[in-house]
Amino acid sequence: MVVDNSNNKSINEIEDNFLKLLDSSSYIDPNLYTKYNIKRGLRNSNGTGVLVGITGIANVVGYEVKDDKKVPIDGRLLYRGIPLTDLVDGFQKDDRFGFEETAFLLLLGKLPSEAALSEFYRVMEYNREFPKFFNEDNILKFPSNNMMNMLQRLVLTLYTYDKTADDTSLLNTFRQSLSLISKVPVMMVYSYQAKRHYYDNKSLILHRPLSNASIAENILHMLRPDCKFTKEEARLLDLCMVVHAEHGGGNNSAFATHVVSSTGTDTYSAISTAIGSLKGPKHGGANIMVRSMINNIIESCNWQNYDELSSYLDDILDKKVFNKKGLIYGMGHAVYTKSDPRAVLLKKKAKELAAAKGYTEKFELLENIEKLTVLKFKERKGKDFEICANVDLYAGLVYEMLGIPPELYTPIFTVARMAGWCAHRLEQTRDEKIMRPGYISIASENNYTSITER
């Protein structure tokens, strides 16, 4: 190895030079995607998704295709063929929590009987227990300021405690799935409590989970210092988890689960990959971006004045304010056009809770953002253009009203989506074929030159 110490360049100067090389070597001209007919982002030119697989777990319906054109329709989300709205109506009419039976449905393909659901609760509670000293050795000794990275690490750490970690048989993968769905909610809350203690100088409070309780009840029980919560609060958190539990095979984190699982790797590696995907602000982390945008609007304009709010949203779209990306977070979706059924369900409950908890003005702000954004996109893109609120617009307000800290907005999404990811992994492990799409290389062939001639 040759080391040249003759120059006096600082590390910053050296990095600036590297950055110039990186800037040119990592850039792909977007026009090349059109030239080579590459489906950028795995999206067709008409806005539909490129078909890359088959799944029986969920179906996301947001448009129809007629004469190769995308025709907007009201959105529908079906879990194992059952419309989400019907599923929610069913357990809410019976005054039951729904996430556990939703997880059962996603994993096993059918709704459970009362006896099967009782057995499922029993197995989940059995799987909730951590290995001996897991909490002390992995959460309390090594806390993190970021809950998503913490969950990713903890899921990978479980590999070392599993004697059959690399067994990808159907039954073992199912056992691992139940273990993760059961343990991750406790991991999330304990990790947050450790973060509060070690990073925020707060008291360390760890409550043991309740027996014979839903995951939603246990999250609120473990999260709150006094363990108290109302039935209505637990029901609303349960609804949030149900609507976040699954969203088809094409969403980024589920697709990542399929890709990684297709290699034959272990469950913990596949699910930690999904968590890393969900963390991104263009995916699960979008709820944090909505919160940041709302706070910016409240601080920067007279948001209770409809006209001033309208003007500020124009400035956001024109990349003049907020993060200057030109995006109104919480609006628009890759599949849904006229409506997102998840947002419709959450909006209804959010309105009810807002009235009870004194958040009516903030709810009306979100509703006005939704109305104004729809109008602005019709003005800018044509009267036939459809855009709708997505689930993230109202989810953050629901969490805020439930007293859930922002650090846990995306982790709660993770807790819920664990059911969908595990269902997709179970489906993918039955397919023996590794996913290996093609890429076009635009690098021209070059000759090697010796180091003295460069």
Side-chain angles (χ1 to χ4, degrees):
M1 178 177 180
V2 177
V3 179
D4 181 8
N5 292 319
S6 62
N7 66 66
N8 294 316
K9 290 180 181 176
S10 68
I11 294 297
N12 286 340
E13 289 175 317
I14 293 171
E15 288 181 339
D16 284 343
N17 287 334
F18 288 162
L19 179 59
K20 292 175 184 177
L21 292 173
L22 283 169
D23 188 47
S24 60
S25 65
S26 61
Y27 176 74
I28 301 292
D29 182 352
N31 293 319
L32 292 176
Y33 290 92
T34 303
K35 177 180 178 180
Y36 294 110
N37 194 29
I38 301 298
K39 311 299 185 183
R40 192 179 185 192
L42 293 180
R43 309 296 297 170
N44 292 310
S45 59
N46 63 3
T48 60
V50 173
L51 295 177
V52 295
I54 298 173
T55 181
I57 298 166
N59 191 17
V60 184
V61 183
Y63 55 82
E64 295 176 347
V65 178
K66 294 181 179 179
D67 299 323
D68 200 36
K69 291 183 179 180
K70 192 164 74 169
V71 180
I73 60 172
D74 286 320
R76 300 178 72 220
L77 175 58
L78 300 93
Y79 291 173
R80 296 289 187 177
I82 299 173
L84 174 64
T85 50
D86 292 351
L87 180 67
V88 170
D89 285 345
F91 64 74
Q92 287 186 342
K93 283 179 182 176
D94 292 340
D95 199 27
R96 289 182 291 104
F97 289 94
F99 179 71
E100 283 73 14
E101 74 174 69
T102 299
F104 187 104
L105 172 66
L106 293 173
L107 293 169
L108 296 169
K110 61 186 293 186
L111 289 170
S113 63
E114 286 188 10
L117 184 58
S118 177
E119 291 172 348
F120 192 69
Y121 264 91
R122 180 184 169 194
V123 173
M124 294 279 280
E125 188 166 329
Y126 170 81
N127 276 281
R128 195 170 60 207
E129 289 295 316
F130 289 158
K132 193 174 183 179
F133 303 125
F134 181 90
N135 184 33
E136 294 86 344
D137 292 344
N138 299 291
I139 298 178
L140 298 182
K141 286 184 180 179
F142 298 99
S144 173
N145 198 34
N146 186 285
M147 297 302 97
M148 292 298 286
N149 285 72
M150 185 72 167
L151 289 178
Q152 197 170 20
R153 173 166 64 81
L154 291 175
V155 166
L156 281 174
T157 302
L158 281 174
Y159 174 96
T160 62
Y161 292 85
D162 187 344
K163 294 180 181 178
T164 59
D166 287 309
D167 179 356
T168 59
S169 66
L170 193 62
L171 179 58
N172 194 61
T173 303
F174 180 67
R175 286 171 176 161
Q176 291 168 336
S177 298
L178 290 181
S179 175
L180 287 170
I181 295 169
S182 304
K183 288 181 175 67
V184 169
V186 186
M187 287 179 183
M188 176 189 72
V189 178
Y190 282 7
S191 296
Y192 173 71
Q193 302 292 17
K195 179 260 179 189
R196 286 183 75 251
H197 179 63
Y198 292 106
Y199 286 87
D200 303 336
N201 298 315
K202 306 292 185 181
S203 297
L204 179 62
I205 303 174
L206 299 179
H207 299 302
R208 288 195 60 80
L210 297 168
S211 294
N212 301 314
S214 68
I215 290 176
E217 289 174 299
N218 260 319
I219 288 174
L220 294 177
H221 164 79
M222 293 185 291
L223 187 59
R224 296 181 174 179
D226 61 4
C227 300
K228 294 180 180 179
F229 57 89
T230 66
K231 179 181 177 181
E232 289 73 22
E233 287 176 323
R235 286 276 194 265
L236 183 54
L237 180 57
D238 179 72
L239 174 62
C240 288
M241 294 172 61
V242 170
V243 303
H244 277 121
E246 166 58 6
H247 211 230
N251 74 81
N252 197 281
S253 54
F255 185 55
T257 303
H258 277 280
V259 171
V260 177
S261 294
S262 78
T263 70
T265 193
D266 65 278
T267 296
Y268 305 100
S269 295
I271 299 303
S272 69
T273 300
I275 295 172
S277 166
L278 193 73
K279 180 189 175 186
K282 296 179 183 178
H283 193 11
N287 49 36
I288 294 297
M289 294 305 299
V290 171
R291 182 177 184 272
S292 298
M293 182 188 73
I294 297 301
N295 288 340
N296 176 265
I297 289 172
I298 291 172
E299 293 167 2
S300 305
C301 75
N302 182 8
W303 54 276
Q304 292 171 311
N305 182 291
Y306 195 78
D307 291 335
E308 287 197 32
L309 175 61
S310 176
S311 178
Y312 197 76
L313 291 177
D314 278 324
D315 288 343
I316 290 177
L317 289 171
D318 293 335
K319 302 181 181 181
K320 295 177 180 178
V321 295
F322 185 42
N323 63 359
K324 300 182 180 179
K325 299 286 187 182
L327 300 172
I328 296 179
Y329 293 91
M331 294 298 301
H333 191 269
V335 179
Y336 298 124
T337 51
K338 284 189 173 182
S339 63
D340 178 342
R342 304 167 303 168
V344 172
L345 285 166
L346 278 191
K347 181 180 179 179
K348 178 182 177 183
K349 291 299 179 181
K351 186 175 184 178
E352 294 172 4
L353 190 64
K357 287 185 172 284
Y359 278 80
T360 300
E361 287 187 347
K362 205 161 188 180
F363 174 83
E364 289 175 351
L365 168 60
L366 297 182
E367 198 169 38
N368 285 336
I369 289 172
E370 180 182 359
K371 292 175 183 176
L372 283 166
T373 303
V374 171
L375 293 174
K376 290 182 184 304
F377 272 83
K378 286 185 179 296
E379 290 170 1
R380 292 169 179 242
K381 293 182 177 289
K383 60 184 177 67
D384 294 329
F385 187 87
E386 296 286 351
I387 188 172
C388 64
N390 62 51
V391 70
D392 294 309
L393 186 64
Y394 292 97
L397 179 60
V398 169
Y399 294 148
E400 183 180 343
M401 291 189 291
L402 289 174
I404 292 170
E407 297 96 320
L408 294 185
Y409 288 6
T410 311
I412 286 176
F413 195 160
T414 302
V415 167
R417 189 56 63 87
M418 198 64 59
W421 292 334
C422 289
H424 282 286
R425 173 161 172 79
L426 285 162
E427 198 174 61
Q428 185 61 49
T429 54
R430 309 297 298 278
D431 189 344
E432 298 292 325
K433 197 139 183 97
I434 186 173
M435 288 190 180
R436 208 297 187 185
Y439 264 64
I440 288 176
S441 174
I442 59 170
S444 56
E445 190 168 332
N446 291 313
N447 295 321
Y448 177 84
T449 55
S450 64
I451 194 166
T452 58
E453 296 174 347
R454 296 174 199 165

